[in-house]
Amino acid sequence: MSRIGARPLLIAGSVISAGGMFWLSRLTEHSTFAGGMLGAELLLGAGLGLLFVPIPLVGLTKVNTGDTGVASSLVNVGQQVGGAIGLAIVGTVAWSAVASNLRSAAAAAAAAAAQAGAHPSAAQAAALRTQIYHHALATGFSRGYLVSAGVLALALVIALFVMRVTRADLSGAGPAPEPAGDASSPNLA
């Protein structure tokens, strides 16, 4: 971090992670683990590894010594609350897409059966329901991964245009000194 700075790590981590999530959004019900998930998961892990170290350090940079506890707690609260809200959003998107896909596929299957005048056996109906459910799950999770890729793209925008922490800020010189005459810290001289 002190050699290359936080910004290049955050940019690279955001790009790599967004790429991994986008790759995961291409999953179908016919995807295999090795062909559909393994590479994307490795890419996602590498990108998130580059993000998880600089984020807390950037959050605590340029903080006065007396405020490090508060700043640290805000970083932790941000991670916990952000993760909960993010999971709620991604889960809502994914399961809404699953429900929508199930309704439309079931209606299309019923209409096709009525038009053909055929009544499938119980085994055929169960197989069709399973196929519809697997397709709906793949579609829903694909949409959730796409939303996650968008959130990681937003992290890239923040790293590019908002973050103003330099390499010198992370060089290990320590936090900024307390302002002189601060009434909140007693003088124990």
Side-chain angles (χ1 to χ4, degrees):
M1 291 274 301
S2 61
R3 271 189 267 165
I4 64 171
R7 193 169 187 201
L9 293 176
L10 290 171
I11 291 169
S14 298
V15 169
I16 293 169
S17 298
M21 280 295 186
F22 183 76
W23 187 353
L24 283 173
S25 75
R26 305 292 105 205
L27 288 176
T28 68
E29 64 270 23
H30 304 293
S31 298
T32 63
F33 176 75
M37 290 195 67
L38 181 61
E41 291 288 332
L42 291 172
L43 194 64
L44 185 62
L48 291 177
L50 291 174
L51 288 174
F52 287 162
V53 173
I55 288 173
L57 292 175
V58 168
L60 296 174
T61 302
K62 297 183 182 180
V63 174
N64 291 330
T65 305
D67 297 329
T68 55
V70 173
S72 178
S73 69
L74 287 175
V75 168
N76 288 332
V77 166
Q79 288 176 340
Q80 296 297 316
V81 172
I85 291 171
L87 183 59
I89 291 170
V90 169
T92 299
V93 167
W95 289 107
S96 295
V98 168
S100 174
N101 197 288
L102 280 174
R103 281 192 302 273
S104 63
Q115 185 179 20
H119 298 290
S121 68
Q124 290 172 329
L128 181 61
R129 278 193 304 274
T130 301
Q131 183 182 11
I132 289 171
Y133 188 67
H134 288 171
H135 178 72
L137 279 176
T139 300
F141 280 84
S142 175
R143 298 255 171 85
Y145 289 135
L146 200 55
V147 168
S148 298
V151 169
L152 288 163
L154 178 63
L156 173 64
V157 169
I158 291 169
L160 284 172
F161 300 111
V162 177
M163 199 183 86
R164 298 288 177 240
V165 174
T166 64
R167 236 180 317 159
D169 296 331
L170 299 170
S171 67
E178 296 272 339
D182 186 12
S184 65
S185 59
N187 188 358
L188 301 175

